[in-house]
Amino acid sequence: MAAPVHLDSVDLQILELLRADGRRTVRDIARLVKLSPAPVRRRITRLEESGVITGYTITTDQARLGQGLQAVTELRFTGDTDIHDIVEFASTLPEVDEVLTLTGDVDALVRLHVDNVDELQKVVNRLRRKGVGVLQTKTLIVIASWQRGAPVP
């Protein structure tokens, strides 16, 4: 595990602004944190080089992409199942957006997007049948979601 990087309040402000809008300009960030653009650019570069910022991404409206149903599937595995096998298998499914491996009763949470309930059933069946050591699944359909940095609906 990498050592934590010391961040001051300005670094944290910059991160929060980039989380809210990864396309925000350095000039805009500088204005909001009350610095000139050059030191802000140096701070962002330092955050990238130190691995605090690992990349930039977009969010999409899944319904507009024809994938209007989001679900989370809990997976429970046999005790000898390797966590890397869980992630490796689930990540091969195109409907899977994220895999979280956990401690406790549930071994993993799989977040996925599908077109409809029939497609959801097919994906869950693939997770059950082809997943290494899958003992049990529980699937929850998402009715609304919010992420930090995104506007409240």
Side-chain angles (χ1 to χ4, degrees), residues 22-151:
R23 296 180 64 189
R24 191 179 300 264
T25 65
V26 171
R27 184 177 305 280
D28 185 43
I29 294 169
R31 180 180 55 80
L32 293 168
V33 300
K34 298 177 179 33
L35 290 175
S36 63
V40 169
R41 166 58 33 217
R42 284 193 299 271
R43 284 173 178 263
I44 292 171
T45 299
R46 181 177 50 81
L47 291 166
E48 292 168 343
E49 290 174 351
S50 67
V52 172
I53 296 176
T54 59
Y56 297 85
T57 189
I58 63 167
T59 58
T60 56
D61 183 332
Q62 297 299 320
R64 290 184 182 257
L65 292 171
Q67 296 181 318
L69 188 66
Q70 182 179 2
V72 178
T73 298
E74 296 178 357
L75 301 174
R76 288 178 176 80
F77 293 87
T78 59
D80 61 345
T81 303
D82 189 287
I83 288 175
H84 299 292
D85 293 339
I86 298 167
V87 174
E88 186 176 324
F89 168 70
S91 67
T92 65
L93 302 177
E95 299 86 358
V96 172
D97 293 325
E98 182 176 23
V99 179
L100 303 169
T101 54
L102 310 168
T103 61
D105 292 338
V106 176
D107 296 307
L109 289 178
V110 177
R111 188 173 57 84
L112 48 99
H113 281 93
V114 293
D115 297 337
N116 52 51
V117 174
D118 290 336
E119 187 67 26
L120 177 60
Q121 181 180 359
K122 291 175 186 174
V123 173
V124 171
N125 282 339
R126 276 187 276 162
L127 286 168
R128 285 180 176 164
R129 291 185 185 134
K130 306 245 192 275
V132 178
V134 175
L135 289 175
Q136 183 181 10
T137 64
K138 177 180 175 183
T139 300
L140 307 162
I141 294 175
V142 176
I143 57 173
S145 66
W146 172 84
Q147 289 182 329
R148 183 154 313 284

